Amino acid sequence: MTQASHDWWRNAVIYQVYIRSFADGTGDGEGDIAGLRNRLPYLHDLGVDALWINPWYPSPLNDGGYDVADFRDIDPRFGDLSQAKALLDEAHGLGLRILLDIVPNHSSWDHEWFKQALAAEPGSPERARYIFRDGRGPNGDEPPNNWRSVFGGSAWERITEPDGSPGQWYFHIFDVSQPDFDWSNPEVRAEFLDILRFWFDLGVDGFRIDVAHGMVKDMTKPDIPYDESGLLDRPKIADHPFFDRDGVHEIYRGWRELADSYDPPRLYVAEAWVEPPERLARYVRDDELHSAFNFDYLKAAWSASDLRRSIDESVTVLASVGAPATWVLENHDVERVVTRYGREVTAAGEGSSRIADGPVDERLGRHRARAAGLLMLALPGGAYIYQGQELGLPEVLDLPEDALQDPVWERSGRTRRGRDGCRVPLPWTIDGPSYGFGSDGSWLPQPDGWGALSVEAAEADPGSMLHLYRTALRMRRDIPAAEPVDWIQVDNPDVLAFRRGTGFVCVVNLGAQPVALPDHRQVLLLSGELTEDGMLPTDTTAWLAT
Ligand code: GLC
């Protein structure tokens, strides 16, 4: 392997496979490895470099598989280890690398260690792998403190001791079925290094690290003065007791040593919802993780000033530690971009935007999503595409209440519907059972007419989002990867225009009026049509050769 091929991730496009909803090869209504293997040629043709597969480990699926019962196996619903090996071989044969999702902050309550902890005594080594504490109040009836789960409700759950008496409490940042590990325990640290080794030895190319800013806690901290912060948003307090604590970096230095001991070296991507970008940069210092999702960019408004701010900040701050920027618009935790940008009203000329409360304009959202996709793929560094983003799938906002699976729904007292709307199984065909997903039914209902957004429909339409992504991904290989964003001065605050090297220009018009294109030799790619007189209309991106 050459140095260059070791650095493949620096400008890679990584496609996120939410395996339960990608393709169902066994006909049981849930996606699986068999379905993914069938569709590898599709992903290869799309032109991505690697796949990140959401958790496929044995799990009661209380939190979509982020509640892991055994970190060294695969849930029978998704397949088995021999199929995983076959998948790795086939993907590698097509030049696609595979990242898995490691969930080190917590396990499922079905994990053997947690069962042992419940059966053991307070103070035992079995309990010491998790975070058990006595309750407050005379009989220990009150939780140890007021800390809340990000899914809603208390972050503490009381157990019944083996002798039947009301017992200790255990800590869970997420669902009650996801007890947090105690990372101050060397046994936990050793166990995870061993789990990483297990998958690296099987041939896995790297890991996306779930809640990479969790793990290390200071359980001695006092109650938190809460405001009404949202899902996965950390309360804005300094020195947070369970997020982004400095001690987590030492863990990653050890993980990096392990990844570097492999040939080729393995890769880590952090899911870390931290602010400001300087804090994120700490995760990707050169002896820690390789890259991190750029959630600041994901949250940016569809406005020239906000996007430019986010791009500049991300590039500058990450460059200070030698890490490439990454760009992401969607994942399995956030509203689909077609819907998000279809809600957002940009006050043109003011460079500001606000979120509309009114109905979603999907046509507008899709138009902007096309422009946003081309902008993202023109930027230097790595990019992520969430399955279905390339089809322009919207958020499914009207899933019936009895179909909702996200624990957020119940834990929020049915006030937040949660994240199921971006996890609806993919439509592969225009008609047929489950629109080609693979069986008569699917674990989340697909809306009527879902087939109009299918891969089959998109293939047949030269103007589809799928063709746009495919072409962009092909052309992106010709943009000189090392060339930074070089802004072109335009005297219109609603237009973003930048050069990469001498030959490539990207222009995005986020304003209300059409604008003239800068000097160019050739229009390479457009997210929408030019006006009759060759101007770039509202919410449109152009790639130009100069
Ligand atoms: C991450 C995952 C999310 C999951 C949570 C708890 O944020 O992306 O889906 O619910 O961690 O594991």
Side-chain angles (χ1 to χ4, degrees), residues 63 66 106 151 174 208 210-211 271 332-333 419 423:
D63 182 24
Y66 283 95
H106 46 264
F151 288 167
F174 296 94
R208 175 257 191 196
D210 188 63
V211 201
E271 184 221 22
H332 65 292
D333 291 327
R419 302 159 292 176
R423 300 174 178 179

Side-chain angles (χ1 to χ4, degrees), residues 48 147 222 229 440 471 479:
V48 296
W147 299 355
S229 58
D440 277 343
T471 309
I479 307 174

Side-chain angles (χ1 to χ4, degrees), residues 149-212:
S149 152
V150 298
F151 288 167
S154 172
W156 293 97
E157 183 72 13
R158 193 169 200 186
I159 65 159
T160 303
E161 297 295 344
D163 66 4
S165 61
Q168 287 194 299
W169 299 70
Y170 67 86
F171 182 68
H172 58 93
I173 297 185
F174 296 94
D175 188 47
V176 60
S177 64
Q178 294 168 296
D180 281 41
F181 286 116
D182 184 344
W183 273 85
S184 66
N185 183 340
E187 195 186 357
V188 171
R189 295 186 180 224
E191 173 72 357
F192 270 90
L193 282 170
D194 199 59
I195 291 164
L196 295 172
R197 231 177 261 123
F198 174 87
W199 293 102
F200 288 156
D201 289 346
L202 196 75
V204 163
D205 299 285
F207 278 98
R208 175 257 191 196
I209 302 166
D210 188 63
V211 201

